[in-house]
Amino acid sequence: MRARLFRPPHGFKSVGLHPILRRHGLRLVAWQGSLRDTDAPATDILVERALAVAGAGRILLLHDQPGCRERTIDAVPAIIERYRALGYELVPLEDA
C-alpha cells in the first residue's frame, strides 16, 4: 500500500516541503493539539489537556514511547468518551 499522508517529524515544515509533497502525491497532516504526554502526567491530566484543545477537525499528538505509553493508553478511552459527549465524531484521517 502506498503512503498518502505525511506527518513531518517534530512538526517541522520546511519552506520547500509543499512542492515535494505535491510531486509525490502526499497530503500534509499535522497536529493541532499536543497533550505533552511525554511529560508523563497523570491520566486525568492528559484528559484535561485533551479537553482544553478540543475543536472540530483537530488532530491530537500522542506518543507511545516507554516513559509515557501506559498513561497515554489509559487516557485514550476517557478522551474519546469526553469528546463524543461534547458532540465530536472521530473519523479516520483519510475521511477528514
Side-chain angles (χ1 to χ4, degrees):
M1 174 187 247
R2 184 178 176 276
R4 294 179 290 197
L5 305 173
F6 176 79
R7 182 188 67 81
H10 307 286
F12 180 71
K13 297 172 230 127
S14 66
V15 175
L17 180 61
H18 291 285
I20 293 168
L21 294 178
R22 275 194 299 276
R23 183 169 48 239
H24 292 282
L26 295 170
R27 180 176 152 206
L28 177 67
V29 177
W31 65 89
Q32 299 84 25
S34 174
L35 305 188
R36 299 183 329 274
D37 57 339
T38 53
D39 297 347
T43 299
D44 58 329
I45 303 244
L46 288 172
V47 175
E48 288 175 24
R49 289 178 180 177
L51 292 172
V53 297
R58 292 263 173 157
I59 297 172
L60 297 180
L61 174 65
L62 301 170
H63 298 86
D64 66 350
Q65 66 191 44
C68 64
R69 178 181 299 137
E70 293 304 317
R71 290 181 182 159
T72 300
I73 289 170
D74 290 345
V76 169
I79 292 169
I80 292 171
E81 179 183 321
R82 299 288 294 275
Y83 271 35
R84 286 183 173 153
L86 291 170
Y88 294 112
E89 177 185 359
L90 282 68
V91 298
L93 283 174
E94 305 213 352
D95 294 343

